[in-house]
Amino acid sequence: IAKLSKRRWLRYRTDLQAVFQDERGTLSPKRSVYHNAEEALCNLTDMRKEERRACILDLMDQLNMSRSLLQVPVRQLSGGEQRRIGLLRALAIKPKFLILDEVTAGLDLLSTEAVLTLLQEYQEAHACSYLLITHDLSAASRLCSRMFEVDHGRIIHEAVQ
C-alpha cells in the first residue's frame, strides 16, 4: 500500500477498510454516531440518503446496538461501542478486504456473538478476506481459514483449517 501512487490508492481505498482497537482516532468525537457512520458512506459510495440511512439502521440492528445511540455524540460511547461503530462504517462501504484489530476486545458475550455472526455472514455474502488481529483463538478459528501465532514479531505456529 505504501508504494501505491495517490491516484491508485484512491481507486483501492473502498476495497480495503480497517477497524482499529482504538477507534478514537478515526471517529469524530463531537459528532453523532449517525453522522460518523454516514460520513464514510457519503465520501466512499454513491448511495442516496435513503439508502445510507437504511444501511446504517440495518447494521445497527445486526450489531445488536440500540438505534437510540444514533443521535449520541461518539465521545459518550464506551470503547466497545466505538469499535462496533468503526466496524459498521467499514462494512457499510462493502470492502473486499478488512483489517480487524482486536474487534471483539472488551465486548460482552452478546455483543461479541453479534459481531462474529455479522462478520461470518458478510464474508460469505461478499467474499471478503480478513486480516484478524486477536488474542481470542475461538474468534480466530470461527473467521479464519489460516492462522499464525506470533511472538515478539516472529511466527511461531501456523494452522490451516
Side-chain angles (χ1 to χ4, degrees):
I1 293 171
K3 294 179 182 180
L4 292 176
S5 68
K6 183 177 181 180
R7 175 182 238 170
R8 287 194 64 208
W9 167 242
L10 290 175
R11 283 196 352 235
Y12 292 111
R13 73 184 227 179
T14 56
D15 290 341
L16 172 66
Q17 292 291 305
V19 180
F20 301 101
Q21 184 173 4
D22 183 1
E23 282 293 321
R24 286 179 288 182
T26 61
L27 299 172
S28 181
K30 293 180 182 178
R31 300 219 176 211
S32 71
V33 166
Y34 187 83
H35 178 84
N36 273 276
E38 187 181 42
E39 181 179 34
L41 291 170
C42 288
N43 292 333
L44 298 174
T45 73
D46 57 0
M47 285 183 188
R48 294 184 331 269
K49 186 173 184 147
E50 305 80 37
E51 293 173 306
R52 292 191 305 263
R53 182 161 181 75
C55 178
I56 291 166
L57 293 175
D58 181 50
L59 286 167
M60 287 290 285
D61 293 343
Q62 290 182 63
L63 286 166
N64 198 33
M65 297 185 77
S66 169
R67 290 181 177 192
S68 65
L69 290 176
L70 289 171
Q71 301 313 313
V72 174
V74 166
R75 71 174 176 264
Q76 292 181 12
L77 301 180
S78 70
E81 288 169 329
Q82 288 183 21
R83 201 170 309 111
R84 286 187 286 163
I85 295 304
L87 178 59
L88 181 151
R89 281 173 37 129
L91 290 176
I93 304 299
K94 301 211 179 349
K96 295 177 184 169
F97 188 83
L98 262 174
I99 300 170
L100 303 165
D101 182 13
E102 295 288 357
V103 72
T104 60
L107 299 181
D108 60 55
L109 291 176
L110 191 61
S111 298
T112 297
E113 182 58 31
V115 166
L116 294 176
T117 298
L118 177 58
L119 288 170
Q120 283 179 299
E121 291 170 356
Y122 183 85
Q123 191 174 45
E124 292 168 11
H126 300 282
C128 182
S129 296
Y130 299 141
L131 171 61
L132 177 67
I133 303 157
T134 187
H135 291 91
D136 184 349
L137 292 179
S138 65
S141 64
R142 245 177 102 170
L143 295 176
C144 303
S145 58
R146 191 170 182 190
M147 296 182 288
F148 297 93
E149 185 178 351
V150 178
D151 185 30
H152 293 91
R154 300 187 73 193
I155 297 172
I156 59 171
H157 184 258
E158 178 180 354
V160 179
Q161 294 192 45

